């Protein structure tokens, strides 16, 4: 709504100028009245009315900002507008209004997508459930489910609300909620979280929590809560506001005192208009955002680049972010000298080749096709494993209790499938979440780019998390975290290690992406939970490459370097012109024209943000 209001201001100013031009030159407007030496023709009245309204609007915004402890350059804009009204320089006044509202509109253009954070997350919330009444299925709204109702969850469906299985056994994909890379088998009596996805077998569930209290809906509420309490951040231009305002007022005041003419103060204030200061950062930021797009990174707002450039702490989700959310074979351990590792994997993959379970499909994919043989007498025991005959051998693959009862004391902490051949325990195969090949290099480059702390925040198990972290080069590991605990970990980062950048990809990451100073989503098409994460983030990586985080940091640093040079150059040039106006040789109108020249210089410098950052900014050079 605020953005729309600013756009309308800019449009109204442009219309007022057009009407004023037509009135003055086409219709040869006459003065309606005069005060002393000041004449008030139609075009002057139109522009003065707009100027007064804009000044009042700015004053209200300034008062609101002062109450929140923020001080900007808007006070100079008000003084410049009022000064031109008082000396009767209508077109100088109009130029100030154009640059003032135009700078705001340009800044708003850079944040055009910022109000869509929750749309996809809310759209994906489960809405319909299959309620069982006397053995019959009735479709009802999820919000109408009551605690104690029985719900049928079909294969591939989302769990609508939190509940407890009363009939059936199936595996459930909770990766987008908890970060666990492997589906979890759920039996009667086990709890189910809303938002998790059922595997291959239909189950019946008793509702234990109403929709508003369930896990998925709680995540949505966390996102809303995090958005309602954004981190305080001072924009770059505002950091220069107070000294620039003080210097300009001193020059104008001294000019008035020395000359004894209030017009001299007005002339200084016209050239002191903060238009170049207001437009310098937005132009550079829009250029930087354009450069981001060229690198397949979508940034939703200019301040995101400012915070990224100064970021000191980087937090990463594990599954789907540092890893590919794809299992690969880690170890093949044999327990029978009759089989070597290659043969054991061949037998296991052959039996698993017709299973759709993620572990089975990962094992088959990791095995050479020439080693996968036909299987006969195939039989699957739900949530336990499969068995069949391969090359005359009866092979069982699955849980240890199914494959080799009596070996339950075997302690394997990784994700594993166990194998027996002809009734004898033959060994096991462990699998791990596949590390993105670019992850270790990304972490190393972030440290070169100035990162002081890098941590992993994941809902996965401690042993798995620590193994991945070690491979990635991360020492600060927080595992088995719920979404709310991820948010707390971000909030607990001390002030001297901020801003904090969080990178994630799943639904469970959405609240922490919103809570961080900068949230970056791995938004590649088709990724689980990517849409919800993307809509909750400040920046979205559109390709499946985490090293784009390095690119985002490099482009942000380069953009802010250009923006700072641009702002300081604008301030320096404006102060020089103010000193010239101090002598009285620059009338207000020509002061406004000179302002436009400074604006063009400012815009040209700001466009340099589209140039390529240095290798050092990319983290490619040793410190």
């Amino acid at each position: 709504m605020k953005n729309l209001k600013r756009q309308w201001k800019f449009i109204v100013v442009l219309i007022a100028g057009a009407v004023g031009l037509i009135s003055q030159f086409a219709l040869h407007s006459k003065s309606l009245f005069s005060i002393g030496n000041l004449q008030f023709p139609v075009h002057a009245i139109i522009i003065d009315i707009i100027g007064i309204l804009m000044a009042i609007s700015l004053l209200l915004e300034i008062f609101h900002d002062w109450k929140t402890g923020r001080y900007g350059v808007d006070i100079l804009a008000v003084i410049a507008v009022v000064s031109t009204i008082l000396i009767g320089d209508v077109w100088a006044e109009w130029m100030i209004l154009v640059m003032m509202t135009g700078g705001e509109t340009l800044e708003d253009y850079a944040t055009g997508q910022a109000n869509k954070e929750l749309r996809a997350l809310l759209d994906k919330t489960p809405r319909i459930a299959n309620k069982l009444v006397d053995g019959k299925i009735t479709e009802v709204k999820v919000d109408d489910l009551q605690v104690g109702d029985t719900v049928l969850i079909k294969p591939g469906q989302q769990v609508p609300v939190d509940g407890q299985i009363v009939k059936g056994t199936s595996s459930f994909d909770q990766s987008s909620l908890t970060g666990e890379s492997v589906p979890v088998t759920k039996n009667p009596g086990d709890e189910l979280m809303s938002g998790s996805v059922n595997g291959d077998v239909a189950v019946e569930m008793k509702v234990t929590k109403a929709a508003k209290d369930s896990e998925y809906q709680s995540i949505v509420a966390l996102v809303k809560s995090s958005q309602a309490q954004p981190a305080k951040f001072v924009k770059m231009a505002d950091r220069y506001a107070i000294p620039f305002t003080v210097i300009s007022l001193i020059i104008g005041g001294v000019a008035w005192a020395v000359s004894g003419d209030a017009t001299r103060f007005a002339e200084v204030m016209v050239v002191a208009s903060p238009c170049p200061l207001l437009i310098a950062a937005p132009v550079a930021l829009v250029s930087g955002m354009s450069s981001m797009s060229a690198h397949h990174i979508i940034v939703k707002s200019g301040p995101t680049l400012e915070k990224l450039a100064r970021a000191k702490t980087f937090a990463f989700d594990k599954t789907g972010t540092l890893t590919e959310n794809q299992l690969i074979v880690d170890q093949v351990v044999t327990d029978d000298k009759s089989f070597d590792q290659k043969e054991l994997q061949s037998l296991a993959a052959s039996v698993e080749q017709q299973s759709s379970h993620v572990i089975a499909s990962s094992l088959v994919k990791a095995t050479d096709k020439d080693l996968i043989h036909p299987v006969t007498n195939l039989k699957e025991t739900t949530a336990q494993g499969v068995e069949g005959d391969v090359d005359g051998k009866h092979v069982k693959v699955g849980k240890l209790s199914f494959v080799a009862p009596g070996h339950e004391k075997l302690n394997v902490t990784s994700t594993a499938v166990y194998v027996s051949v002809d009734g004898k325990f033959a060994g096991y195969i462990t699998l791990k979440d596949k590390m993105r090949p670019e992850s270790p290099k990304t972490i190393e480059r972030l440290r070169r780019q100035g990162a002081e702390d890098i941590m992993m925040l994941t809902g996965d198990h401690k042993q798995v998390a620590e193994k991945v972290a070690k491979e990635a080069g991360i020492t600060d590991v927080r595992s088995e975290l719920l979404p709310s605990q991820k948010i707390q970990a971000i909030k607990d980062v001390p002030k001297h290690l901020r801003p904090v950048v969080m990178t994630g990809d799943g639904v469970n990451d959405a609240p922490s992406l919103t809570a961080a100073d900068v949230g970056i989503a791995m938004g590649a098409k088709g990724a689980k939970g990517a849409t919800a994460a993307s809509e909750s983030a400040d920046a979205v990586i559109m390709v499946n490459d985490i090293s784009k985080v390095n690119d985002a940091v490099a482009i942000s640093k380069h953009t802010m370097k250009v923006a700072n040079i641009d702002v300081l150059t604008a301030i320096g040039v404006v102060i020089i012109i103010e000193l010239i106006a101090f002598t009285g040789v620059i009338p207000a109108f020509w002061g406004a024209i000179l302002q436009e020249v400074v604006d063009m210089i400012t815009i040209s410098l700001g466009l340099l943000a589209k140039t390529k950052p240095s290798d050092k900014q990319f983290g490619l050079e040793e410190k």
Side-chain angles (χ1 to χ4, degrees):
M1 195 69 187
K2 184 178 180 181
N3 291 355
L4 187 62
K5 181 181 176 183
R6 286 180 164 185
Q7 290 170 10
W8 272 109
K9 283 182 181 179
F10 183 55
I11 292 169
V12 167
V13 169
L14 291 179
I15 292 174
V19 172
L21 284 171
I22 293 170
S23 173
Q24 181 176 4
F25 297 108
L27 302 180
H28 304 289
S29 62
K30 306 289 185 181
S31 295
L32 296 183
F33 61 90
S34 61
I35 300 176
N37 294 327
L38 297 181
Q39 302 295 314
F40 289 92
V42 173
H43 70 278
I45 293 173
I46 292 171
I47 294 174
D48 282 348
I49 290 173
I50 298 300
I52 291 168
L53 291 175
M54 293 294 178
I56 292 172
S57 176
L58 266 179
L59 282 171
L60 292 174
E61 290 181 18
I62 290 168
F63 180 69
H64 178 268
D65 288 343
W66 284 356
K67 288 196 300 183
T68 58
R70 178 176 172 266
Y71 303 93
V73 293
D74 292 340
I75 188 65
L76 275 180
V78 173
I79 294 172
V81 170
V82 172
S83 299
T84 51
I85 292 174
L86 292 177
I87 66 172
D89 201 326
V90 174
W91 293 113
E93 173 193 354
W94 181 76
M95 285 185 177
I96 293 168
L97 292 174
V98 168
M99 296 313 298
M100 186 174 68
T101 57
E104 291 177 341
T105 303
L106 186 60
E107 187 176 1
D108 290 340
Y109 167 76
T111 60
Q113 299 299 313
N115 293 323
K116 297 180 181 178
E117 288 88 354
L118 291 177
R119 185 187 61 198
L121 187 61
L122 294 171
D123 286 346
K124 293 187 72 175
T125 303
R127 299 181 185 278
I128 301 296
N130 297 313
K131 183 179 176 180
L132 287 172
V133 182
D134 298 328
K136 294 182 179 180
I137 298 175
T138 304
E139 284 194 352
V140 299
K141 292 180 179 179
V142 170
D143 290 340
D144 294 337
L145 288 174
Q146 304 291 322
V147 174
D149 287 345
T150 302
V151 175
L152 177 69
I153 304 169
K154 298 177 181 179
Q157 284 188 336
Q158 268 190 322
V159 178
V161 294
D162 290 358
Q164 185 180 57
I165 294 180
V166 293
K167 183 178 180 181
T169 297
S170 186
S171 61
F172 286 80
D173 185 349
Q174 301 179 159
S175 60
S176 66
L177 290 165
T178 66
E180 292 171 287
S181 53
V182 181
V184 179
T185 300
K186 299 287 186 177
N187 300 298
D190 288 342
E191 302 291 331
L192 291 179
M193 292 188 292
S194 62
S196 57
V197 180
N198 189 12
D200 302 325
V201 181
V203 299
E204 294 180 14
M205 179 192 80
K206 182 176 71 174
V207 175
T208 57
K209 290 183 181 178
K212 62 183 178 66
D213 301 318
S214 293
E215 184 68 22
Y216 195 94
Q217 289 79 0
S218 296
I219 291 176
V220 174
L222 281 171
V223 175
K224 288 181 177 178
S225 174
S226 297
Q227 280 192 313
Q229 300 173 2
K232 291 183 178 179
F233 182 70
V234 180
K235 292 183 180 180
M236 183 192 70
D238 291 342
R239 293 198 291 273
Y240 297 106
I242 293 177
F244 180 64
T245 301
V246 170
I247 291 171
S248 298
L249 288 173
I250 289 173
I251 294 173
V254 173
W256 185 356
V258 170
S259 67
D261 185 359
T263 302
R264 192 71 58 83
F265 175 79
E267 289 169 351
V268 173
M269 287 301 100
V270 168
V271 297
S273 167
C275 297
L277 193 59
L278 290 171
I279 205 171
V283 169
L285 294 177
V286 170
S287 298
M289 291 166 73
S290 174
S291 181
M292 286 278 200
S293 296
H295 284 77
H296 308 290
I297 308 161
I298 304 300
V299 176
K300 298 180 180 179
S301 68
T304 296
L305 274 75
E306 297 189 50
K307 289 180 274 191
L308 259 176
R310 298 192 294 111
K312 295 181 179 178
T313 297
F314 289 81
F316 290 89
D317 173 50
K318 180 186 75 68
T319 307
T321 304
L322 291 169
T323 68
E324 295 185 351
N325 200 13
Q326 176 188 335
L327 295 175
I328 58 172
V329 171
D330 185 21
Q331 291 180 302
V332 180
V333 180
T334 61
D335 195 56
D336 189 330
K337 293 182 181 179
S338 302
F339 302 101
D340 59 21
Q341 294 177 331
K342 190 175 182 180
E343 188 174 5
L344 184 69
Q345 184 173 339
S346 170
L347 292 171
S350 298
V351 174
E352 293 274 36
Q353 63 185 298
Q354 295 183 30
S355 175
S356 59
H357 193 280
V358 64
I359 294 178
S361 59
S362 298
L363 176 59
V364 172
K365 189 175 180 179
T367 304
D368 192 318
K369 290 182 179 180
D370 295 335
L371 296 177
I372 299 177
H373 306 299
V375 58
T376 57
N377 300 320
L378 186 66
K379 179 184 177 184
E380 182 170 359
T381 302
T382 303
Q384 295 296 318
V386 294
E387 56 186 303
D389 296 329
V390 180
D391 295 338
K393 302 179 181 67
H394 187 71
V395 182
K396 296 177 76 173
V397 182
K399 288 186 175 181
L400 188 58
S401 57
F402 169 74
V403 167
H407 286 72
E408 283 81 357
K409 291 184 179 180
L410 185 63
N411 184 25
V412 179
T413 57
S414 305
T415 300
V417 290
Y418 301 88
V419 186
S420 70
V421 180
D422 292 331
K424 185 178 180 181
F425 181 62
Y428 60 89
I429 300 170
T430 64
L431 297 99
K432 65 177 182 178
D433 206 359
K434 184 179 180 182
M435 174 73 69
R436 290 182 185 272
E438 71 273 15
S439 288
K441 191 69 175 178
T442 298
I443 303 303
E444 180 186 345
R445 285 176 59 192
L446 281 175
R447 291 196 172 97
R448 291 179 185 174
Q449 288 173 304
E452 295 184 23
D453 186 27
I454 300 176
M455 57 185 176
M456 177 195 288
L457 305 178
T458 179
D460 212 343
H461 302 296
K462 183 178 180 181
Q463 296 92 334
V464 176
E466 288 180 346
K467 195 170 185 179
V468 171
K470 184 177 181 181
E471 192 175 342
I474 298 174
T475 55
D476 188 354
V477 186
R478 323 281 179 90
S479 57
E480 301 178 14
L481 300 179
L482 296 173
S484 59
Q485 292 173 314
K486 286 187 177 183
I487 289 178
Q488 193 58 50
I490 290 170
K491 288 182 177 180
D492 288 343
V493 173
K495 189 175 181 179
H496 70 278
L497 289 177
R498 289 184 174 274
V500 180
V501 178
M502 171 70 189
T503 304
D505 79 312
V507 174
N508 68 308
D509 297 317
S512 50
L513 291 177
T514 309
D517 297 303
V518 176
I520 300 178
M522 298 295 293
K525 207 169 183 180
K528 294 176 182 176
T531 305
S534 299
E535 293 295 341
S536 301
D538 301 295
V540 183
I541 296 173
M542 302 305 295
V543 292
N544 208 19
D545 183 357
I546 198 175
S547 71
K548 291 297 177 182
V549 173
N550 297 127
D551 294 351
V553 172
I555 294 168
S556 297
K557 288 180 178 294
H558 179 61
T559 298
M560 296 319 301
K561 181 179 179 181
V562 170
N564 275 286
I565 292 172
D566 199 1
V567 169
L568 291 172
T569 301
I571 288 175
V573 173
V574 168
I575 289 176
I576 291 172
I577 297 174
E578 285 178 19
L579 293 172
I580 297 172
F582 177 94
T583 65
V585 299
I586 304 178
F589 178 79
W590 288 105
I593 294 295
L594 284 173
Q595 272 280 311
E596 299 309 305
V597 174
V598 177
D599 290 340
M600 294 306 298
I601 294 172
T602 298
I603 290 170
S604 299
L605 285 174
L607 292 174
L608 292 176
K610 293 186 73 173
T611 58
K612 184 182 177 182
S614 66
D615 285 349
K616 184 177 181 180
Q617 288 169 326
F618 269 119
L620 298 174
E621 290 183 356
E622 294 284 354
K623 280 191 174 182

